[in-house]
Amino acid sequence: MDEFALINRWFTGIGPKLPEVVAGVGDDCALLQLQPGEQLAISVDTSVVDRHFPAQADPWAIGWRALAVALSDLAAMAARPLGFTLAVTLPQVDETWLDAFSQGLRALADQTRCPLIGGDTTRGPLSFSVQVHGAVDAQHVWRRSGARAGDVIALLGPVGLANAGLRSLLEQPERGSSRQQWSLAEQAYMLPRPLIREALRLMQGCRIHAAIDVSDGLLADLQHLLAASALAAELDTESLVLAPELIAQLGEVEALEAALQGGDDYALILALDEQDFDLARNLCPGLQQIGRCVPGAGIRTPQGRVLEPRGYNHFAMTSAGYS
Amino acid sequence: MDEFALINRWFTGIGPKLPEVVAGVGDDCALLQLQPGEQLAISVDTSVVDRHFPAQADPWAIGWRALAVALSDLAAMAARPLGFTLAVTLPQVDETWLDAFSQGLRALADQTRCPLIGGDTTRGPLSFSVQVHGAVDAQHVWRRSGARAGDVIALLGPVGLANAGLRSLLEQPERGSSRQQWSLAEQAYMLPRPLIREALRLMQGCRIHAAIDVSDGLLADLQHLLAASALAAELDTESLVLAPELIAQLGEVEALEAALQGGDDYALILALDEQDFDLARNLCPGLQQIGRCVPGAGIRTPQGRVLEPRGYNHFAMTSAGYS
């Protein structure tokens, strides 16, 4: 099978046709059209076999996850998806695998209205780079740097659950091969849901000062937001609502640790004015207040205990793990 | 060394600061601003070790080449560079290697005024995905589909030379490690120059109906342009000007074959009205007329001999080679 046949069979017609996509797959470049007052938001994420997912993982989920982690960055800036590119490196052409992989991509591309608009196909060790493109309203784009002292810190989406799922997939890698038997925690790791719709609803309905998505860990990513905004935070860890499945799997102490330090959930951390919180929670009922921005640096509990982000990063990693 | 330190040390401040880049490295997404009447052109290219470059190749050239092959797609649409993202997968942190790699990137980023605006860093087998972003004038963008019967087919840049360079690097891989000793052909393969300035000059100064860059081979890429424009071409292979170094290395017959079928030169094929050709050549003195668009399908010589593109593609490849 040649490269063009491969693209035609598995990587054409993924996601809806959007009027903003003037040219998609099939010319030297894809072309995107913005509306007046809009800026283009872009983000790229790479997924490498045995680093971000087990080699034997369900290919449907690998496709979903590769796109999901990139789309989460659009959610973190309240960007409306316009399209994604896929640079895929494959060791060989495995038709069954590619069928499932492209269906996983397609499912999320349809759900988030984010079509595939271009890419590159090469042969080599299995990996993908997904780059997403979105339109932001230049007046209402969410930056990390916009938080203010006194802002409520709010969390949308679960934290810790993906980390629990990762632990069980590392312990029993063979469980990864069939998504039908995954626990909620394993689903949280392998099939994260980027909070695009929620972000757009919040952006349109109330005023968010700053946002970031939780990819490295709640403390680590909150610390990025605080550093960009030159602020500290009081984080009320005792009021943090944890998923029952997380507590059941890890016990209360470890569950809280996973929620604070584990990554890969793709929840959203938001900073907003206290008086806007109820409105925001009406728009997104799962929203929980977890703390408050204060002058200074670092993250502390209301009792004054310092919370140190451990987070995850690829080149400091010492233990085995996917992330 | 952690991921953030790595980005700070090697992948920050590459290329000029452009006013269109509202946010670069350091938030969830990069943000680009277009002018009224502009569209965004994007293209992504992946380079994999031992597939697109020898493992021992000069890292300065690997950096240059990874960016160059992507920028060539912007040239093919007459897009003004706005910035690039780099998704880099590294087996380990080799400081000497990263110094040279990032300097090669930087040299071309400065020369083409295309800053690094974002990326992702992971650990794994050496590979890069470079995505470039450019602004096109929506009225003057070059598409593959715009050629008309009667148009002159013109070629800008060398063809075949990179293929000759590839052959000598495959025969003597150890030559790849130091760019100081490369022949012109080896330079053509490892250090292609994307024709950004020339494309912008032509776009502003005369009317080009269609364009494509030569990455797969002159015949293969011309065939892509013809298919998109629903045309055939008469290609005057006897008048094709070949580089003396190409003939010296391969002999006349093989040199012509390399020029027609070899890829990786990143020359530009243009279709334009005959009466505009002299003007275009005044703007870009190296421009040569190589044929003409005619009704029908396929590529023939003026004597009627059919020229079949062989081209290159990753999943049909049977022999070893970088591309």
Side-chain angles (χ1 to χ4, degrees):
Chain A
M1 169 157 316
D2 83 10
E3 191 174 348
F4 300 104
L6 188 148
I7 290 168
N8 273 336
R9 175 150 169 204
W10 287 289
F11 299 116
T12 302
I14 291 186
K17 285 198 191 307
L18 299 184
E20 296 92 336
V21 181
V22 180
V25 177
D27 213 314
D28 294 286
C29 299
L31 292 176
L32 295 176
Q33 171 80 59
L34 298 177
Q35 301 302 316
E38 287 184 339
Q39 293 171 344
L40 187 90
I42 59 179
S43 183
V44 59
D45 275 285
T46 302
S47 303
V48 179
V49 66
D50 285 333
R51 172 72 42 187
H52 299 86
F53 55 87
Q56 68 269 52
D58 188 322
W60 196 98
I62 294 174
W64 173 289
R65 190 176 193 281
L67 179 55
V69 302
L71 282 169
S72 179
D73 286 312
L74 292 188
M77 288 191 119
R80 183 179 86 253
L82 295 180
F84 72 101
T85 59
L86 172 69
V88 53
T89 303
L90 299 170
Q92 74 275 320
V93 177
D94 174 336
E95 303 202 355
T96 310
W97 194 95
L98 279 163
D99 280 344
F101 175 78
S102 71
Q103 283 162 20
L105 273 181
R106 190 182 299 271
L108 187 58
D110 285 337
Q111 194 179 106
T112 56
R113 299 194 52 75
C114 186
L116 179 65
I117 58 171
D120 191 21
T121 314
T122 50
R123 195 175 272 215
L126 187 62
S127 73
F128 321 94
S129 283
V130 171
Q131 179 155 324
V132 288
H133 309 80
V136 297
D137 179 331
Q139 303 303 314
H140 295 101
V141 57
W142 297 349
R143 303 289 299 267
R144 294 181 180 179
S145 56
R148 303 170 193 179
D151 275 358
V152 160
I153 299 170
L155 179 70
L156 184 65
V159 285
L161 202 54
N163 187 258
L166 171 60
R167 294 183 200 201
S168 65
L169 289 169
L170 285 171
E171 280 161 19
Q172 298 176 271
E174 69 285 359
R175 283 186 57 81
S177 60
S178 172
R179 69 185 189 280
Q180 278 73 28
Q181 57 175 341
W182 288 341
S183 67
L184 269 180
E186 288 161 341
Q187 287 177 37
Y189 182 78
M190 287 299 298
L191 299 170
R193 195 172 70 77
L195 302 174
I196 294 280
R197 265 180 307 188
E198 291 81 354
L200 294 176
R201 209 182 303 143
L202 287 168
M203 184 268 290
Q204 282 154 4
C206 73
R207 191 164 158 67
I208 304 295
H209 293 157
I212 191 170
D213 69 323
V214 181
S215 54
D216 294 337
L218 177 58
L219 293 184
D221 289 309
L222 175 58
Q223 183 54 49
H224 292 317
L225 183 150
L226 295 168
S229 297
L231 286 171
E234 259 185 33
L235 190 69
D236 185 5
T237 57
E238 289 174 20
S239 73
L240 200 60
V241 179
L242 302 180
E245 295 81 4
L246 176 59
I247 297 171
Q249 185 181 327
L250 299 181
E252 285 213 10
V253 174
E254 269 294 291
L256 179 61
E257 180 72 8
L260 295 175
Q261 303 287 10
D264 304 305
D265 287 295
Y266 302 98
L268 289 178
I269 301 171
L270 305 167
L272 68 165
D273 205 287
E274 181 163 27
Q275 67 188 25
D276 291 335
F277 180 76
D278 287 343
L279 171 59
R281 195 171 45 189
N282 284 342
L283 293 167
C284 290
L287 197 71
Q288 49 174 318
Q289 177 172 345
I290 60 169
R292 191 174 286 278
C293 295
V294 294
I299 307 173
R300 277 176 298 277
T301 64
Q303 297 75 34
R305 185 162 62 91
V306 173
L307 298 169
E308 281 285 355
R310 194 181 62 214
Y312 177 86
N313 86 56
H314 288 273
F315 289 92
M317 192 179 76
T318 49
S319 59
Y322 308 114
S323 188
Chain B
M1 168 159 317
D2 83 11
E3 191 174 348
F4 301 104
L6 188 147
I7 291 167
N8 273 336
R9 175 151 168 202
W10 286 289
F11 300 117
T12 301
I14 290 186
K17 286 197 192 307
L18 299 184
E20 295 92 337
V21 182
V22 180
V25 178
D27 213 313
D28 293 287
C29 299
L31 293 176
L32 294 177
Q33 171 80 58
L34 296 178
Q35 301 301 316
E38 287 184 340
Q39 293 171 343
L40 187 90
I42 59 178
S43 183
V44 59
D45 275 286
T46 302
S47 303
V48 179
V49 66
D50 285 334
R51 172 71 43 187
H52 299 85
F53 55 87
Q56 67 270 52
D58 188 322
W60 196 99
I62 295 175
W64 174 287
R65 190 176 192 281
L67 179 56
V69 301
L71 281 169
S72 180
D73 286 313
L74 291 188
M77 288 191 118
R80 182 179 86 252
L82 295 180
F84 72 102
T85 58
L86 172 69
V88 53
T89 303
L90 299 171
Q92 74 274 320
V93 176
D94 174 337
E95 302 202 355
T96 310
W97 193 95
L98 279 163
D99 279 345
F101 175 77
S102 71
Q103 283 163 21
L105 272 182
R106 190 182 299 273
L108 187 57
D110 285 339
Q111 195 179 104
T112 56
R113 299 193 54 72
C114 186
L116 179 65
I117 58 172
D120 190 21
T121 315
T122 50
R123 194 175 274 215
L126 187 62
S127 74
F128 322 93
S129 282
V130 171
Q131 179 155 324
V132 288
H133 308 80
V136 297
D137 179 330
Q139 303 304 313
H140 294 100
V141 57
W142 298 348
R143 303 289 299 268
R144 293 181 180 179
S145 56
R148 304 170 192 179
D151 275 359
V152 161
I153 299 170
L155 178 70
L156 184 65
V159 284
L161 201 54
N163 186 259
L166 171 60
R167 295 184 198 202
S168 63
L169 289 169
L170 284 171
E171 280 161 19
Q172 300 176 270
E174 69 285 359
R175 285 186 56 80
S177 61
S178 171
R179 69 185 190 281
Q180 279 74 29
Q181 57 176 342
W182 288 341
S183 68
L184 268 180
E186 289 161 341
Q187 287 178 37
Y189 183 78
M190 288 299 299
L191 300 170
R193 195 171 70 75
L195 301 175
I196 294 279
R197 264 180 308 189
E198 291 80 355
L200 294 177
R201 210 182 302 142
L202 287 168
M203 184 268 291
Q204 282 155 3
C206 74
R207 191 163 158 68
I208 304 295
H209 293 157
I212 192 169
D213 69 324
V214 181
S215 54
D216 294 336
L218 176 59
L219 293 184
D221 289 309
L222 176 58
Q223 183 53 50
H224 292 317
L225 183 149
L226 294 169
S229 298
L231 287 170
E234 260 186 33
L235 190 69
D236 186 5
T237 57
E238 288 176 19
S239 73
L240 200 60
V241 178
L242 302 179
E245 296 81 4
L246 175 61
I247 297 171
Q249 185 180 326
L250 299 181
E252 286 214 5
V253 174
E254 269 295 290
L256 180 59
E257 179 73 8
L260 294 175
Q261 304 285 12
D264 304 306
D265 287 294
Y266 302 98
L268 289 178
I269 301 172
L270 305 167
L272 68 166
D273 205 288
E274 180 162 30
Q275 68 188 23
D276 290 337
F277 180 76
D278 287 343
L279 171 59
R281 195 171 45 189
N282 284 342
L283 293 168
C284 290
L287 196 71
Q288 48 174 321
Q289 177 173 346
I290 60 168
R292 191 173 287 277
C293 295
V294 294
I299 308 173
R300 278 176 296 277
T301 65
Q303 296 76 35
R305 186 162 62 91
V306 173
L307 298 169
E308 281 285 354
R310 194 180 62 214
Y312 177 86
N313 86 57
H314 289 273
F315 289 91
M317 193 179 74
T318 49
S319 59
Y322 308 114
S323 188

